[in-house]
Amino acid sequence: MRAIWAVGIIWFSMAAMAEGQAYQSGLYDGRSIPGWTYSEAGTQSANLPTWYPSDGSQNQDGANCNVGTGQINGTAAQWNEYFASVTPQSFVQQLRSSGTDATQGYLTEIVTLNGRPALRNLLAANASGQQMEFMIMSVSGADTLVTITCTALSGQLLPRLEEFYSFAEGLTLYTAAPR
């Protein structure tokens, strides 16, 4: 079970989901996240629902956040067990195994988001020919994993971290919580 989750979480953390929207019935609502604006053009470019800082500062450091969803079943205990087994190094290795050029893991921690267990990873990777830094939150559900990925150019993760946390906390989840 743990191996299936690892593959699923990594896949949904970095894979593109089709037909992104700011709101998806039964999944999430990102229409009113303070400080963030949904971008149809960004969504089409990333093939993921994409938001940019409302002040336009993404032009300086590439800051953006995306949301992905995927079907993975689990109880709260199963999610917590899996999340407790992940380290920055193992997460980076899992990303590398799935074809992502992850270069360094900074932090892996279990947090609570929208009342459910979540795993937050901070890391660096090469993407589109640039060194990028990521905050990836894998949010558990009874049958749906929601992955929130926020990105900035190398060296800009720490300056953007509070904004990225705010984005994740501002996204309303409608998926069933694990029991």
Side-chain angles (χ1 to χ4, degrees):
M1 176 73 120
R2 189 176 293 176
I4 292 170
W5 280 6
V7 170
I9 287 174
I10 297 305
W11 171 255
F12 292 116
S13 293
M14 301 305 281
M17 305 289 149
E19 298 187 38
Q21 301 172 13
Y23 167 80
Q24 295 232 347
S25 179
L27 295 176
Y28 63 85
D29 188 347
R31 293 177 289 190
S32 302
I33 302 173
W36 292 87
T37 302
Y38 177 76
S39 170
E40 188 63 42
T43 296
Q44 289 177 0
S45 175
N47 201 27
L48 280 168
T50 300
W51 288 257
Y52 293 118
S54 298
D55 64 5
S57 61
Q58 77 274 4
N59 294 324
Q60 299 165 7
D61 63 6
N64 69 82
C65 291
N66 314 83
V67 176
T69 60
Q71 300 296 307
I72 299 180
N73 298 325
T75 66
Q78 289 170 319
W79 284 110
N80 279 321
E81 179 184 345
Y82 171 70
F83 290 162
S85 74
V86 179
T87 66
Q89 296 77 22
S90 70
F91 194 75
V92 164
Q93 189 56 39
Q94 291 170 3
L95 288 171
R96 286 179 184 154
S97 295
S98 69
T100 299
D101 187 12
T103 57
Q104 182 176 1
Y106 303 135
L107 172 74
T108 298
E109 62 183 340
I110 298 172
V111 297
T112 301
L113 187 68
N114 285 293
R116 21 181 118 212
L119 182 67
R120 179 168 44 216
N121 290 282
L122 305 180
L123 61 120
N126 293 313
S128 302
Q130 295 185 19
Q131 179 74 30
M132 305 294 289
E133 292 180 310
F134 298 83
M135 176 197 80
I136 300 174
M137 291 190 72
S138 304
V139 187
S140 64
D143 58 9
T144 303
L145 172 72
V146 176
T147 302
I148 301 165
T149 303
C150 296
T151 308
L153 292 173
S154 182
Q156 297 305 306
L157 180 64
L158 286 179
R160 288 286 191 177
L161 209 47
E162 288 303 316
E163 291 170 277
F164 290 168
Y165 291 170
S166 178
F167 176 86
E169 292 166 359
L171 183 71
T172 302
L173 297 181
Y174 296 124
T175 57
R179 297 173 197 240

